[in-house]
Amino acid sequence: MAHPHAPVWLDVAARTSQEAADALGVQVGQIAKSVIFRRRLDEAAVLVVTSGDRRVDEKKVAAQVGALGRADADFVKLRTGFTIAVFRPSRMPRRRSR
């Protein structure tokens, strides 16, 4: 199912959730950030998406998927094709209050 609003792409890159929020003129909690972990059992990449103003509770994630390790830049690039900590922010139109 398609989202009813097209994303708005910006011409700037952001390395942090705060930079993305600043570029978009929104609060950092309105930013979705992704964090990649390395599952120790099989070296699988585990993607967690959370609000830009929250920290990921690694223990809770590990309870769901198994023991985790840190994913270094080479692991992230190999598994996802993206360079770690760099993304181009996009903005979805704000929903109107009812």
Side-chain angles (χ1 to χ4, degrees):
M1 176 168 52
H3 192 280
H5 303 287
V8 176
W9 296 97
L10 301 181
D11 294 328
V12 297
R15 296 189 60 84
T16 66
S17 297
Q18 186 62 62
E19 288 178 7
D22 292 345
L24 294 168
V26 300
Q27 295 179 3
V28 71
Q30 294 175 278
I31 299 296
K33 67 179 175 183
S34 60
V35 182
I36 304 283
F37 293 97
R38 179 190 306 234
R39 186 167 50 198
R40 290 187 182 149
L41 175 68
D42 58 2
E43 296 294 302
V46 176
L47 170 65
V48 178
V49 179
T50 189
S51 175
D53 63 350
R54 303 284 187 220
R55 292 185 54 93
V56 174
D57 185 329
E58 292 179 47
K59 290 180 182 179
K60 288 182 179 180
V61 177
Q64 296 293 315
V65 302
L68 298 173
R70 294 283 181 192
D72 63 18
D74 291 335
F75 178 86
V76 172
K77 181 74 171 180
L78 178 68
R79 294 296 198 272
T80 70
F82 291 96
T83 302
I84 197 168
V86 176
F87 61 94
R88 297 177 75 72
S90 64
R91 177 177 63 191
M92 302 303 285
R94 291 186 181 137
R95 290 186 179 191
R96 294 190 176 140
S97 301
R98 293 180 185 208

